[in-house]
Amino acid sequence: MDIRTSPLRAWMLAAAMLVVAWLPTAVVGVALVLAGLAWAPHAVVLVPLTLFVAGFVGEAMRRERLPGKALRPGDEPELAALVRDVAGRIGFREPLLVRVVPTVDASLAPTKTAGGRAYALLLGYPLLRMLSADQLASVVAHELAHEEHVRDRRTAALRFARQVLADRMERRFRPLARLAAPLLRASQPPMWQAELAADADAARVTGSAATAQALQRTGVLHEAFEGLGSTWWSALTEEDTYPVDFYDALETAVRDPYVAARAARGVAEEDAVDPYATADHPPAEQRLAALPPDAVAAAAYGAEPVTLRAAASIERWCLGGLAGLDDPDPDPDPDDDPRPVRLLDMTPDQLHDLGDETGKDLLLLATGEESPERALSAALDALADGTWPRLAGLLEPGLRRMPAAARTTVAQAVLTAALAQTLHAVLRPAGWTRAHRWLATVLTAPDGTVTDLHELAAQAVRAGDPAPLRALLTAAAKTRKEAAA
């Protein structure tokens, strides 16, 4: 049902979501007022006034500062020409400011300039350098078309209310799920319809093939950035270093089929975890299926990435943002800056040492076993008898606070990671060798077979069948006995 055919319903939903979103804040505010009244009746008026002023100033400061770095038409004429042409074909007439951000992002935000109202088009640097011009044009077309589809007042109000409520659902003191979830679920269909309509408009400009490629490529880049990339940054930051070739390494990694496949699985898993219906985008699979199959490109922008004249300085700025080098320091000291290192110069062992191996340690702790072999055997027993959700809860205590709709998917991911890491620890001493530069759990067996342990563990957990993993555990034990003899 398209609630744009029912204005009253749309406005009522928007109002209800805002009430539910601000209800916890209102309760806290009332409690503060009552506490102030009991403590100092003559000063009670200062409590809500102070909270209001602080909230207003904070919100104003957040709105005034646009994220990213400006990419001016004179500095980047090729990018400006692409954006201008796409905007013309979509029918987007508002002034546009293009800005680059360090992450995998694409969004459109209203802003103000000296000439009046405008929009800021935020484009992630990974998209600019790793998407073809055709694919980038599809991303731009989608963002501009989407704004056209949600611009009417009641849809904009509904969208705003959803964003406010969705943001509150991620906080420690969140609104009651019993109140919030039905409202978010009821208001989700028009948001999805707007996204699908924007996809169709993008396909009309760049063709269905480029639009499908852009959807898939963007999802893979986002998952690789948030998974593999964040792991690199986290580990190197602890060593007071940062990867100066981060974007080169990320681009190299996502070309690998194992990395691309794991990132694609991550996209599907993320789409499956939406217990409160906060997602404004339909699942990627649904978006791809809804594309018009016969849409032919109205324009060709190129099979190579768009030319960036100032690519080197843009990349330095993005790296500085990720590394925190652009933070103002009243007393700068060059010796305090993180030291640059190169990921592409590291050996596979060094890269794998940057990975997260906490799953194995947590499995040892959760099972109460001292050896990886015994911990893995206990975990496989739990998988066989169906008690594995309890084990997953011990690995990740936060699972018990998650809604039931999301708990199973997240629990499977948690157990999969722990099994893969522990199996890696068992197989390496049994003669299995590293087969992959970027992923530690891709190993070569003594007979030359290459196996992705993470994928094997994921299949076993989804099927509830530990037999394939138990066979590897048995083979490893046999190999160790033969070597000892």
Side-chain angles (χ1 to χ4, degrees), residues 114-193:
R117 178 180 175 180
Y119 282 86
L121 176 63
L122 306 181
L123 296 173
Y125 181 61
L127 302 182
L128 291 175
R129 68 168 284 169
M130 299 181 207
L131 295 185
S132 71
D134 285 336
Q135 294 164 2
L136 180 65
S138 178
V139 170
V140 173
H142 173 92
E143 296 303 325
L144 301 183
H146 182 263
E147 183 63 26
E148 296 293 314
H149 288 293
V150 298
R151 184 173 287 186
D152 65 276
R153 288 185 178 181
R154 63 175 178 268
T155 306
L158 201 64
R159 184 186 182 196
F160 171 76
R162 279 181 57 81
Q163 290 173 344
V164 171
L165 184 52
D167 176 68
R168 296 299 187 277
M169 296 303 292
E170 295 180 358
R171 299 189 181 185
R172 182 177 180 85
F173 299 104
R174 61 175 182 248
L176 290 175
R178 291 182 180 179
L179 296 177
L183 294 172
L184 288 166
R185 196 170 296 113
S187 61
Q188 192 177 59
M191 301 297 105
W192 283 21
Q193 290 165 10

Side-chain angles (χ1 to χ4, degrees), residues 273-450:
V273 181
D274 186 23
Y276 302 122
T278 57
D280 283 344
H281 292 75
E285 184 177 349
Q286 184 173 334
R287 294 178 68 181
L288 290 169
L291 288 175
D294 54 351
V296 179
Y301 298 92
E304 296 298 322
V306 68
T307 299
L308 294 177
R309 303 286 182 95
S313 64
I314 292 171
E315 183 162 327
R316 283 196 299 272
W317 182 88
C318 291
L319 287 170
L322 293 174
L325 298 177
D326 61 343
D327 292 339
D329 188 346
D331 186 20
D333 183 354
D335 293 336
D336 291 338
D337 288 342
R339 177 174 53 87
V341 297
R342 290 185 56 83
L343 290 164
L344 292 175
D345 290 344
M346 293 184 181
T347 65
D349 285 344
Q350 290 173 322
L351 284 171
H352 296 164
D353 287 342
L354 300 178
D356 181 9
E357 295 295 329
T358 57
K360 180 195 69 175
D361 298 332
L362 289 173
L363 190 63
L364 289 170
L365 185 63
T367 58
E369 301 292 350
E370 296 183 356
S371 70
E373 292 83 1
R374 293 181 64 86
L376 187 60
S377 180
L380 296 181
D381 289 342
L383 186 60
D385 62 25
T387 60
W388 66 268
R390 179 179 176 278
L391 177 60
L394 295 174
L395 295 170
E396 176 50 72
L399 280 172
R400 69 191 66 176
R401 295 189 297 273
M402 289 185 180
R407 197 178 302 143
T408 298
T409 300
V410 177
Q412 287 177 339
V414 168
L415 183 59
T416 293
L419 289 175
Q421 292 176 15
T422 310
L423 193 57
H424 171 271
V426 171
L427 295 179
R428 284 301 305 279
W432 290 58
T433 58
R434 298 195 190 279
H436 200 266
R437 176 173 179 78
W438 307 106
L439 303 177
T441 55
V442 179
L443 298 180
T444 301
D447 64 0
T449 304
V450 177

